[in-house]
Coordinates of all heavy atoms in Angstrom, one line a residue:
P1 N -80.1 -33.5 3.8 CA -79.9 -32.2 4.5 C -80.2 -31.0 3.5 O -79.8 -31.0 2.3 CB -78.4 -32.2 4.9 CG -78.0 -33.6 4.9 CD -78.8 -34.2 3.8
T2 N -81.0 -30.0 4.0 CA -81.3 -28.9 3.2 C -80.7 -27.6 3.7 O -80.7 -26.6 2.9 CB -82.9 -28.7 3.1 OG1 -83.3 -28.4 4.4 CG2 -83.5 -30.0 2.7
I13 N -74.9 -27.7 12.8 CA -76.4 -27.8 12.9 C -76.9 -28.1 11.5 O -76.7 -27.3 10.6 CB -77.0 -26.6 13.5 CG1 -76.5 -26.4 14.9 CG2 -78.5 -26.8 13.7 CD1 -77.0 -25.3 15.7
G26 N -97.7 -32.5 -8.7 CA -98.7 -32.5 -7.7 C -98.4 -31.5 -6.5 O -97.4 -30.8 -6.5
P32 N -96.7 -33.9 8.8 CA -95.3 -33.5 9.3 C -94.4 -34.7 9.2 O -94.8 -35.9 9.3 CB -95.6 -33.1 10.7 CG -97.0 -32.7 10.8 CD -97.7 -33.6 9.8
L63 N -81.7 -22.9 6.9 CA -81.3 -22.8 8.3 C -80.2 -21.9 8.5 O -79.2 -21.8 7.7 CB -80.9 -24.2 8.8 CG -80.5 -24.3 10.2 CD1 -80.9 -25.7 10.9 CD2 -79.0 -24.1 10.4
N67 N -76.3 -14.7 16.2 CA -75.2 -14.5 17.1 C -75.6 -14.8 18.6 O -74.7 -14.6 19.5 CB -74.6 -13.1 17.0 CG -75.7 -12.0 17.2 OD1 -76.8 -12.2 17.7 ND2 -75.4 -10.8 16.8
F82 N -89.5 -20.0 11.2 CA -89.5 -20.2 12.7 C -88.2 -19.8 13.3 O -87.1 -19.9 12.6 CB -89.6 -21.8 13.0 CG -90.9 -22.4 12.4 CD1 -90.9 -22.8 11.1 CD2 -92.0 -22.5 13.2 CE1 -92.1 -23.4 10.6 CE2 -93.2 -23.1 12.7 CZ -93.2 -23.5 11.4
F84 N -86.1 -20.7 16.8 CA -86.0 -21.6 18.0 C -84.8 -21.3 18.9 O -83.8 -20.7 18.3 CB -85.9 -23.1 17.6 CG -87.0 -23.7 16.8 CD1 -87.1 -23.6 15.5 CD2 -88.1 -24.2 17.6 CE1 -88.2 -24.1 14.8 CE2 -89.1 -24.8 16.8 CZ -89.2 -24.7 15.5
G101 N -99.3 -16.7 0.4 CA -99.7 -15.4 0.1 C -98.6 -14.4 -0.2 O -97.4 -14.8 0.0
V123 N -85.8 -12.4 5.0 CA -86.4 -13.7 4.5 C -86.4 -13.6 3.0 O -86.9 -12.6 2.4 CB -87.7 -13.9 5.0 CG1 -88.3 -15.2 4.4 CG2 -87.7 -14.1 6.6
G128 N -92.2 -18.7 -4.7 CA -93.5 -18.2 -5.2 C -93.6 -16.8 -5.4 O -94.1 -16.3 -6.4
K134 N -87.7 -7.6 4.9 CA -87.0 -7.3 6.1 C -88.0 -7.2 7.3 O -89.0 -6.5 7.1 CB -86.2 -6.1 6.0 CG -85.3 -5.7 7.2 CD -84.4 -4.5 6.9 CE -83.5 -4.3 8.2 NZ -82.6 -3.2 7.9
E138 N -88.3 -8.1 16.5 CA -89.5 -8.7 17.2 C -90.4 -9.3 16.1 O -91.4 -9.9 16.5 CB -90.3 -7.5 17.9 CG -89.5 -6.9 19.0 CD -88.3 -6.0 18.5 OE1 -88.5 -5.3 17.5 OE2 -87.4 -5.9 19.3
K147 N -89.3 -8.6 -7.4 CA -90.4 -9.3 -8.2 C -89.7 -10.2 -9.2 O -88.5 -10.2 -9.3 CB -91.3 -8.3 -8.9 CG -90.6 -7.5 -9.9 CD -91.6 -6.5 -10.6 CE -90.9 -5.7 -11.8 NZ -91.8 -4.8 -12.5
F155 N -85.8 -11.1 -9.3 CA -85.3 -12.4 -9.0 C -86.0 -13.4 -9.7 O -87.2 -13.3 -10.1 CB -85.5 -12.7 -7.4 CG -84.9 -11.6 -6.5 CD1 -85.7 -10.7 -5.9 CD2 -83.5 -11.6 -6.3 CE1 -85.1 -9.8 -5.1 CE2 -82.9 -10.6 -5.5 CZ -83.8 -9.7 -4.9
G186 N -82.2 -2.3 1.1 CA -82.7 -2.9 -0.1 C -82.3 -2.2 -1.4 O -82.8 -2.6 -2.5
F188 N -80.1 -1.6 -4.6 CA -79.2 -2.4 -5.4 C -77.8 -1.8 -5.4 O -77.7 -0.6 -5.6 CB -79.8 -2.6 -6.9 CG -78.8 -3.3 -7.7 CD1 -78.9 -4.7 -7.8 CD2 -78.0 -2.6 -8.5 CE1 -78.1 -5.4 -8.6 CE2 -77.1 -3.3 -9.4 CZ -77.2 -4.7 -9.4
G209 N -66.5 -12.1 7.6 CA -67.4 -11.3 6.8 C -66.7 -10.7 5.5 O -67.2 -9.8 4.9
N211 N -64.6 -13.1 3.1 CA -64.6 -14.1 2.1 C -66.0 -14.7 1.8 O -66.7 -15.2 2.7 CB -63.7 -15.3 2.5 CG -62.3 -14.8 2.7 OD1 -61.7 -14.2 1.8 ND2 -61.7 -15.1 3.8
F220 N -78.7 -30.5 -16.8 CA -79.1 -30.7 -18.3 C -80.6 -30.5 -18.4 O -81.4 -31.3 -17.8 CB -78.6 -32.0 -18.7 CG -79.1 -32.3 -20.2 CD1 -78.4 -31.6 -21.2 CD2 -80.0 -33.2 -20.5 CE1 -78.8 -31.8 -22.6 CE2 -80.4 -33.4 -21.8 CZ -79.8 -32.7 -22.8
R242 N -62.3 -22.4 -7.2 CA -63.5 -23.1 -7.4 C -63.1 -24.7 -7.5 O -62.1 -25.0 -8.0 CB -64.2 -22.7 -8.7 CG -63.5 -23.0 -10.0 CD -64.2 -22.3 -11.2 NE -65.6 -22.7 -11.4 CZ -66.5 -22.0 -12.0 NH1 -66.2 -20.8 -12.6 NH2 -67.7 -22.5 -12.1

Side-chain angles (χ1 to χ4, degrees):
T2 66
I13 303 184
L63 176 147
N67 57 15
F82 301 87
F84 296 92
V123 175
K134 185 174 183 177
E138 296 74 33
K147 62 179 182 179
F155 306 103
F188 177 84
N211 296 308
F220 176 70
R242 65 189 305 159

